[in-house]
PDB file of all heavy atoms in Angstrom:
ATOM      1  N   ILE Y  51      76.450  82.290 103.607  1.00 93.00           N
ATOM      2  CA  ILE Y  51      76.202  82.902 102.303  1.00 93.00           C
ATOM      3  C   ILE Y  51      77.552  83.174 101.673  1.00 93.00           C
ATOM      4  O   ILE Y  51      78.502  83.563 102.355  1.00 93.00           O
ATOM      5  CB  ILE Y  51      75.360  84.194 102.433  1.00 93.00           C
ATOM      6  CG1 ILE Y  51      74.982  84.738 101.063  1.00 93.00           C
ATOM      7  CG2 ILE Y  51      76.075  85.241 103.277  1.00 93.00           C
ATOM      8  CD1 ILE Y  51      73.901  85.829 101.110  1.00 93.00           C
ATOM      9  N   THR Y  52      77.640  82.928 100.367  1.00 90.00           N
ATOM     10  CA  THR Y  52      78.903  83.132  99.665  1.00 90.00           C
ATOM     11  C   THR Y  52      78.771  84.268  98.653  1.00 90.00           C
ATOM     12  O   THR Y  52      77.664  84.653  98.262  1.00 90.00           O
ATOM     13  CB  THR Y  52      79.330  81.859  98.929  1.00 90.00           C
ATOM     14  OG1 THR Y  52      78.457  81.658  97.801  1.00 90.00           O
ATOM     15  CG2 THR Y  52      79.264  80.646  99.834  1.00 90.00           C
ATOM     16  N   SER Y  53      79.917  84.719  98.195  1.00 85.00           N
ATOM     17  CA  SER Y  53      79.905  85.780  97.186  1.00 85.00           C
ATOM     18  C   SER Y  53      79.311  85.293  95.875  1.00 85.00           C
ATOM     19  O   SER Y  53      78.891  86.102  95.050  1.00 85.00           O
ATOM     20  CB  SER Y  53      81.319  86.301  96.964  1.00 85.00           C
ATOM     21  OG  SER Y  53      82.203  85.236  96.673  1.00 85.00           O
ATOM     22  N   GLY Y  54      79.261  83.957  95.687  1.00 83.00           N
ATOM     23  CA  GLY Y  54      78.643  83.408  94.488  1.00 83.00           C
ATOM     24  C   GLY Y  54      77.140  83.335  94.578  1.00 83.00           C
ATOM     25  O   GLY Y  54      76.472  82.956  93.619  1.00 83.00           O
ATOM     26  N   GLY Y  55      76.604  83.695  95.754  1.00 80.00           N
ATOM     27  CA  GLY Y  55      75.156  83.723  95.921  1.00 80.00           C
ATOM     28  C   GLY Y  55      74.566  82.482  96.559  1.00 80.00           C
ATOM     29  O   GLY Y  55      73.352  82.385  96.746  1.00 80.00           O
ATOM     30  N   SER Y  56      75.401  81.533  96.917  1.00 82.00           N
ATOM     31  CA  SER Y  56      74.877  80.327  97.559  1.00 82.00           C
ATOM     32  C   SER Y  56      74.543  80.619  99.010  1.00 82.00           C
ATOM     33  O   SER Y  56      75.294  81.307  99.702  1.00 82.00           O
ATOM     34  CB  SER Y  56      75.913  79.205  97.497  1.00 82.00           C
ATOM     35  OG  SER Y  56      76.190  78.852  96.164  1.00 82.00           O
ATOM     36  N   THR Y  57      73.429  80.077  99.451  1.00 83.00           N
ATOM     37  CA  THR Y  57      73.040  80.228 100.851  1.00 83.00           C
ATOM     38  C   THR Y  57      72.678  78.868 101.430  1.00 83.00           C
ATOM     39  O   THR Y  57      72.266  77.952 100.718  1.00 83.00           O
ATOM     40  CB  THR Y  57      71.842  81.178 101.004  1.00 83.00           C
ATOM     41  OG1 THR Y  57      70.742  80.653 100.252  1.00 83.00           O
ATOM     42  CG2 THR Y  57      72.173  82.566 100.515  1.00 83.00           C
ATOM     43  N   ASN Y  58      72.810  78.777 102.733  1.00 82.00           N
ATOM     44  CA  ASN Y  58      72.448  77.561 103.449  1.00 82.00           C
ATOM     45  C   ASN Y  58      72.014  77.994 104.832  1.00 82.00           C
ATOM     46  O   ASN Y  58      72.753  78.714 105.521  1.00 82.00           O
ATOM     47  CB  ASN Y  58      73.635  76.604 103.537  1.00 82.00           C
ATOM     48  CG  ASN Y  58      73.227  75.256 104.070  1.00 82.00           C
ATOM     49  OD1 ASN Y  58      72.048  74.930 104.142  1.00 82.00           O
ATOM     50  ND2 ASN Y  58      74.207  74.459 104.450  1.00 82.00           N
ATOM     51  N   TYR Y  59      70.822  77.595 105.275  1.00 83.00           N
ATOM     52  CA  TYR Y  59      70.345  78.087 106.554  1.00 83.00           C
ATOM     53  C   TYR Y  59      69.216  77.206 107.076  1.00 83.00           C
ATOM     54  O   TYR Y  59      68.603  76.431 106.329  1.00 83.00           O
ATOM     55  CB  TYR Y  59      69.825  79.520 106.425  1.00 83.00           C
ATOM     56  CG  TYR Y  59      68.931  79.763 105.233  1.00 83.00           C
ATOM     57  CD1 TYR Y  59      67.565  79.509 105.297  1.00 83.00           C
ATOM     58  CD2 TYR Y  59      69.458  80.242 104.042  1.00 83.00           C
ATOM     59  CE1 TYR Y  59      66.756  79.718 104.210  1.00 83.00           C
ATOM     60  CE2 TYR Y  59      68.648  80.461 102.949  1.00 83.00           C
ATOM     61  CZ  TYR Y  59      67.297  80.199 103.036  1.00 83.00           C
ATOM     62  OH  TYR Y  59      66.500  80.416 101.943  1.00 83.00           O
ATOM     63  N   ILE Y  60      68.956  77.359 108.403  1.00 79.00           N
ATOM     64  CA  ILE Y  60      67.801  76.724 109.024  1.00 79.00           C
ATOM     65  C   ILE Y  60      66.540  77.292 108.387  1.00 79.00           C
ATOM     66  O   ILE Y  60      66.471  78.468 108.076  1.00 79.00           O
ATOM     67  CB  ILE Y  60      67.801  77.012 110.535  1.00 79.00           C
ATOM     68  CG1 ILE Y  60      69.062  76.447 111.180  1.00 79.00           C
ATOM     69  CG2 ILE Y  60      66.556  76.475 111.206  1.00 79.00           C
ATOM     70  CD1 ILE Y  60      69.232  76.840 112.640  1.00 79.00           C
ATOM     71  N   GLY Y  61      65.535  76.468 108.217  1.00 84.00           N
ATOM     72  CA  GLY Y  61      64.343  76.859 107.481  1.00 84.00           C
ATOM     73  C   GLY Y  61      63.645  78.105 107.977  1.00 84.00           C
ATOM     74  O   GLY Y  61      63.049  78.843 107.195  1.00 84.00           O
ATOM     75  N   ARG Y  62      63.684  78.394 109.261  1.00 92.00           N
ATOM     76  CA  ARG Y  62      62.985  79.558 109.790  1.00 92.00           C
ATOM     77  C   ARG Y  62      63.834  80.828 109.670  1.00 92.00           C
ATOM     78  O   ARG Y  62      63.340  81.923 109.973  1.00 92.00           O
ATOM     79  CB  ARG Y  62      62.638  79.302 111.261  1.00 92.00           C
ATOM     80  CG  ARG Y  62      61.645  78.169 111.451  1.00 92.00           C
ATOM     81  CD  ARG Y  62      61.412  77.901 112.927  1.00 92.00           C
ATOM     82  NE  ARG Y  62      62.571  77.292 113.556  1.00 92.00           N
ATOM     83  CZ  ARG Y  62      63.290  77.877 114.497  1.00 92.00           C
ATOM     84  NH1 ARG Y  62      62.979  79.108 114.914  1.00 92.00           N
ATOM     85  NH2 ARG Y  62      64.323  77.266 115.028  1.00 92.00           N
ATOM     86  N   PHE Y  63      65.077  80.700 109.279  1.00 94.00           N
ATOM     87  CA  PHE Y  63      66.005  81.819 109.223  1.00 94.00           C
ATOM     88  C   PHE Y  63      66.392  82.116 107.782  1.00 94.00           C
ATOM     89  O   PHE Y  63      66.420  81.215 106.943  1.00 94.00           O
ATOM     90  CB  PHE Y  63      67.274  81.503 110.008  1.00 94.00           C
ATOM     91  CG  PHE Y  63      67.069  81.264 111.487  1.00 94.00           C
ATOM     92  CD1 PHE Y  63      68.125  80.844 112.273  1.00 94.00           C
ATOM     93  CD2 PHE Y  63      65.835  81.459 112.096  1.00 94.00           C
ATOM     94  CE1 PHE Y  63      67.972  80.625 113.632  1.00 94.00           C
ATOM     95  CE2 PHE Y  63      65.658  81.246 113.450  1.00 94.00           C
ATOM     96  CZ  PHE Y  63      66.732  80.822 114.219  1.00 94.00           C
ATOM     97  N   THR Y  64      66.719  83.384 107.508  1.00 94.00           N
ATOM     98  CA  THR Y  64      67.166  83.788 106.184  1.00 94.00           C
ATOM     99  C   THR Y  64      68.400  84.650 106.322  1.00 94.00           C
ATOM    100  O   THR Y  64      68.405  85.599 107.116  1.00 94.00           O
ATOM    101  CB  THR Y  64      66.066  84.575 105.455  1.00 94.00           C
ATOM    102  OG1 THR Y  64      64.880  83.790 105.377  1.00 94.00           O
ATOM    103  CG2 THR Y  64      66.520  84.936 104.044  1.00 94.00           C
ATOM    104  N   ILE Y  65      69.412  84.347 105.538  1.00 95.00           N
ATOM    105  CA  ILE Y  65      70.649  85.122 105.559  1.00 95.00           C
ATOM    106  C   ILE Y  65      70.734  85.955 104.292  1.00 95.00           C
ATOM    107  O   ILE Y  65      70.336  85.515 103.208  1.00 95.00           O
ATOM    108  CB  ILE Y  65      71.881  84.192 105.698  1.00 95.00           C
ATOM    109  CG1 ILE Y  65      73.153  85.007 105.943  1.00 95.00           C
ATOM    110  CG2 ILE Y  65      72.012  83.263 104.506  1.00 95.00           C
ATOM    111  CD1 ILE Y  65      74.355  84.146 106.322  1.00 95.00           C
ATOM    112  N   SER Y  66      71.236  87.177 104.448  1.00 92.00           N
ATOM    113  CA  SER Y  66      71.362  88.064 103.288  1.00 92.00           C
ATOM    114  C   SER Y  66      72.451  89.096 103.562  1.00 92.00           C
ATOM    115  O   SER Y  66      72.926  89.228 104.695  1.00 92.00           O
ATOM    116  CB  SER Y  66      70.031  88.759 102.988  1.00 92.00           C
ATOM    117  OG  SER Y  66      69.637  89.578 104.080  1.00 92.00           O
ATOM    118  N   THR Y  67      72.831  89.804 102.512  1.00 91.00           N
ATOM    119  CA  THR Y  67      73.839  90.849 102.649  1.00 91.00           C
ATOM    120  C   THR Y  67      73.375  92.127 101.950  1.00 91.00           C
ATOM    121  O   THR Y  67      72.547  92.080 101.029  1.00 91.00           O
ATOM    122  CB  THR Y  67      75.193  90.425 102.043  1.00 91.00           C
ATOM    123  OG1 THR Y  67      75.001  90.169 100.636  1.00 91.00           O
ATOM    124  CG2 THR Y  67      75.752  89.190 102.708  1.00 91.00           C
ATOM    125  N   ASP Y  68      73.927  93.231 102.398  1.00 90.00           N
ATOM    126  CA  ASP Y  68      73.761  94.520 101.727  1.00 90.00           C
ATOM    127  C   ASP Y  68      75.175  95.080 101.556  1.00 90.00           C
ATOM    128  O   ASP Y  68      75.741  95.634 102.497  1.00 90.00           O
ATOM    129  CB  ASP Y  68      72.886  95.449 102.559  1.00 90.00           C
ATOM    130  CG  ASP Y  68      72.592  96.768 101.843  1.00 90.00           C
ATOM    131  OD1 ASP Y  68      73.382  97.162 100.955  1.00 90.00           O
ATOM    132  OD2 ASP Y  68      71.594  97.408 102.177  1.00 90.00           O
ATOM    133  N   SER Y  69      75.730  94.907 100.375  1.00 86.00           N
ATOM    134  CA  SER Y  69      77.121  95.298 100.169  1.00 86.00           C
ATOM    135  C   SER Y  69      77.317  96.802 100.292  1.00 86.00           C
ATOM    136  O   SER Y  69      78.381  97.271 100.706  1.00 86.00           O
ATOM    137  CB  SER Y  69      77.610  94.806  98.814  1.00 86.00           C
ATOM    138  OG  SER Y  69      76.797  95.327  97.769  1.00 86.00           O
ATOM    139  N   ALA Y  70      76.303  97.579  99.946  1.00 89.00           N
ATOM    140  CA  ALA Y  70      76.410  99.035 100.049  1.00 89.00           C
ATOM    141  C   ALA Y  70      76.572  99.484 101.501  1.00 89.00           C
ATOM    142  O   ALA Y  70      77.166 100.531 101.770  1.00 89.00           O
ATOM    143  CB  ALA Y  70      75.192  99.700  99.426  1.00 89.00           C
ATOM    144  N   LYS Y  71      76.042  98.692 102.424  1.00 90.00           N
ATOM    145  CA  LYS Y  71      76.134  99.007 103.849  1.00 90.00           C
ATOM    146  C   LYS Y  71      77.167  98.137 104.562  1.00 90.00           C
ATOM    147  O   LYS Y  71      77.287  98.229 105.785  1.00 90.00           O
ATOM    148  CB  LYS Y  71      74.764  98.828 104.511  1.00 90.00           C
ATOM    149  CG  LYS Y  71      73.701  99.769 103.978  1.00 90.00           C
ATOM    150  CD  LYS Y  71      72.376  99.568 104.695  1.00 90.00           C
ATOM    151  CE  LYS Y  71      71.324 100.535 104.189  1.00 90.00           C
ATOM    152  NZ  LYS Y  71      70.011 100.341 104.867  1.00 90.00           N
ATOM    153  N   ASN Y  72      77.878  97.295 103.831  1.00 90.00           N
ATOM    154  CA  ASN Y  72      78.868  96.374 104.440  1.00 90.00           C
ATOM    155  C   ASN Y  72      78.240  95.572 105.564  1.00 90.00           C
ATOM    156  O   ASN Y  72      78.834  95.374 106.625  1.00 90.00           O
ATOM    157  CB  ASN Y  72      80.075  97.141 104.985  1.00 90.00           C
ATOM    158  CG  ASN Y  72      80.848  97.852 103.905  1.00 90.00           C
ATOM    159  OD1 ASN Y  72      80.841  97.442 102.747  1.00 90.00           O
ATOM    160  ND2 ASN Y  72      81.506  98.930 104.275  1.00 90.00           N
ATOM    161  N   THR Y  73      77.023  95.111 105.339  1.00 94.00           N
ATOM    162  CA  THR Y  73      76.272  94.482 106.416  1.00 94.00           C
ATOM    163  C   THR Y  73      75.716  93.127 106.005  1.00 94.00           C
ATOM    164  O   THR Y  73      75.213  92.960 104.893  1.00 94.00           O
ATOM    165  CB  THR Y  73      75.125  95.403 106.878  1.00 94.00           C
ATOM    166  OG1 THR Y  73      75.677  96.640 107.335  1.00 94.00           O
ATOM    167  CG2 THR Y  73      74.331  94.774 108.009  1.00 94.00           C
ATOM    168  N   LEU Y  74      75.808  92.221 106.946  1.00 94.00           N
ATOM    169  CA  LEU Y  74      75.233  90.881 106.842  1.00 94.00           C
ATOM    170  C   LEU Y  74      74.022  90.835 107.751  1.00 94.00           C
ATOM    171  O   LEU Y  74      74.052  91.394 108.849  1.00 94.00           O
ATOM    172  CB  LEU Y  74      76.267  89.847 107.290  1.00 94.00           C
ATOM    173  CG  LEU Y  74      75.833  88.394 107.425  1.00 94.00           C
ATOM    174  CD1 LEU Y  74      75.653  87.766 106.052  1.00 94.00           C
ATOM    175  CD2 LEU Y  74      76.858  87.616 108.243  1.00 94.00           C
TER     176      LEU Y  74
END
Side-chain angles (χ1 to χ4, degrees):
I51 186 167
T52 71
S53 53
S56 297
T57 59
N58 189 14
Y59 45 86
I60 299 173
R62 295 176 289 115
F63 298 174
T64 303
I65 189 170
S66 62
T67 61
D68 185 336
S69 58
K71 297 181 178 179
N72 297 333
T73 300
L74 173 74

